Amino acid sequence: MTQTPARGREIWLLLATFLVAVAGLIYELIAATLSSYLLGDSVRQFSLVIGVFLSAMGVGAYLSRFVTHALRGFIWAQILLGIAGGFLAPIVFYAYAWTGAVALPLFGLLILVGILSGMEIPLIARALKDIGVPEFRFENVLSVDYVGALAASVAFPLLIVPQLGLMSASLVFGALNLCVAGLSLWLFRPETMRSQWGVWGLALMLTGAGLWQSERLVNVAEAALYEDDIIFSETTAYQQVTVTRFRDRVRLFLDHSIQFDSFDEYRYHETLVHPAMAQASRRADVLILGGGDGMAAREVLRWADVERVTLVDLDPKVTEIFHRNDDMAALNNGALRDSRVTVKNGDAWQFVEHETAQFDVIIIDLPDPKNLALSKLYSRAFYSLLMERLSPRGVMVTQAGSPFYAREAFWSVRATLAAARNPVRPGAGLWTLPYHAYVPSFGDWGFVMAAPYAAKEVAVLPEGLRYLTPETWQQAQVFGPDTGALPVEINQLQSHALVGYYLEGWARWFE
């Protein structure tokens, strides 16, 4: 049998280095994203995943010295990576759906994938020497490896997650490792083992079956995660978006955390919007940060003197669903289709930083500050920036989490707002008013209003509200001994005390 010339083998092994580098980094990013989705606190989880993965790679590099036949060892590593890496996301999703366990399967597979990935470069380098590559230079292998890592890091958020989702991406790159193994088996067939062909063929069939049934796998896993029927589910560049329905009851989940339940969302949105609208001297221009479901905009549009509403939400997929889908748009009474509403998809901080207009009312309906990326939007720096966009007699309000489950976090939001810069009365700080309401889907939920001057009392509310009345508004301002104010740190970009308060508070109840 004629053997492939050494030059062709060299080119293939360098190309294989690029491909396996791409696959290895993709597995690492999938694991970090899964950890962030399912365990929360993205900075902590990404840091932990990267540290564990790199350590495991170090172990793998060390263990590679005990592999007597470099080429066969490399092929075995590719076959095993195709299985462990390819089924990483499916196994973790299913474990979470049926047992609630994430850490053991996630980090167990991560360590295995890291060890196998760490063995790749030393084994390729040895294989290149074994086939007699003239003037072999180890730095060439490393250069190709680093280029592959760059390609993966760029493609993951821009192409892979939006187009494939985590489940299919895991299987696709598992198939890539198996393709590398298969072509290596063919090119170096005189030096390979029959058992490798058999295991490779079985792994390829399993991965192929997984890809063929990937949509069904996702549906089955999600059906176990959610109580109701899933009517929409998509992994966007920013988050996992899921909408469920049971009869006429609709729920929105972002990264598996509930954002609203159509049975009781009116309690939340009426309480968030109308006290601030009622206390503003003028309501012509309103800014909503977050609120891509359009519910807050629906409540704003109850006020006849509203002329313009600017809604800024990061994820275009969320605003698209609640604008274009008739059933979803019905939940917000077509608010996102109203000519007075302008939707801008982008980062809230960047919008506020570059916007020059002033607004009479600013409504902040952002997700909870469970990580640093969100915590910055609850910082003194951001609130100070927002005050530059608020008219002198304007009112700002933010959702602030639960004063019961995460008491310190709630009062930290209030303290941070009070400490923000007041452009109308420099050095005076802001007037703030904390209040709360019971929302069955969330529990006791809090809000904080702020303004350059003390706002007037609520005098008039729109007609047709289902929850908020002058009486419930008065009750909303009363806190019990177990939810009342206590000493806390303000949330600053340097410290992010709010993230710790938030995670510790919820962990006391649910971990």
Side-chain angles (χ1 to χ4, degrees), residues 15 30 81 95 101 193 212 272 275 419 478:
L15 177 59
I30 287 173
L81 274 169
M193 304 166 62
W212 178 47
L272 169 68
V478 178

Side-chain angles (χ1 to χ4, degrees), residues 7 60 62 79 95 144 146 150 153 190 194 222 228 230 257 277 281 290 298 343 359 366 381 385 397 401 417 419 494:
R7 182 59 179 167
Y62 175 79
I79 295 172
V144 174
Y146 294 151
L150 173 63
S153 64
R194 182 173 299 179
E222 290 189 336
D228 306 332
I230 296 170
S257 296
M277 295 291 288
S281 301
R298 175 197 66 204
V343 174
F359 300 91
L366 295 167
L385 188 61
V397 63
L417 268 169
Q494 298 90 338

Side-chain angles (χ1 to χ4, degrees), residues 81 165 215 342 374:
L81 274 169
E215 185 173 347
T342 300
L374 290 167

Side-chain angles (χ1 to χ4, degrees), residues 25 37 78 125 140 172 176 224 230 242 252-253 265 282 300 307 326 358 405:
L25 188 60
Y37 279 0
Q78 295 312 295
N140 292 341
V172 164
L176 176 62
I230 296 170
T242 306
L252 170 66
F253 296 85
E265 56 81 14
R282 187 174 179 269
V300 167
E307 298 176 7
D326 290 340
Q358 284 197 320
Y405 292 120

Side-chain angles (χ1 to χ4, degrees), residues 134-177:
E135 298 182 1
F136 168 76
R137 299 184 68 88
F138 189 73
E139 55 265 33
N140 292 341
V141 179
L142 288 178
S143 297
V144 174
D145 179 65
Y146 294 151
V147 171
L150 173 63
S153 64
V154 172
F156 185 76
L158 299 179
L159 297 173
I160 294 169
V161 172
Q163 298 300 321
L164 296 175
L166 296 177
M167 187 91 78
S168 294
S170 186
L171 290 164
V172 164
F173 284 91
L176 176 62
N177 280 120

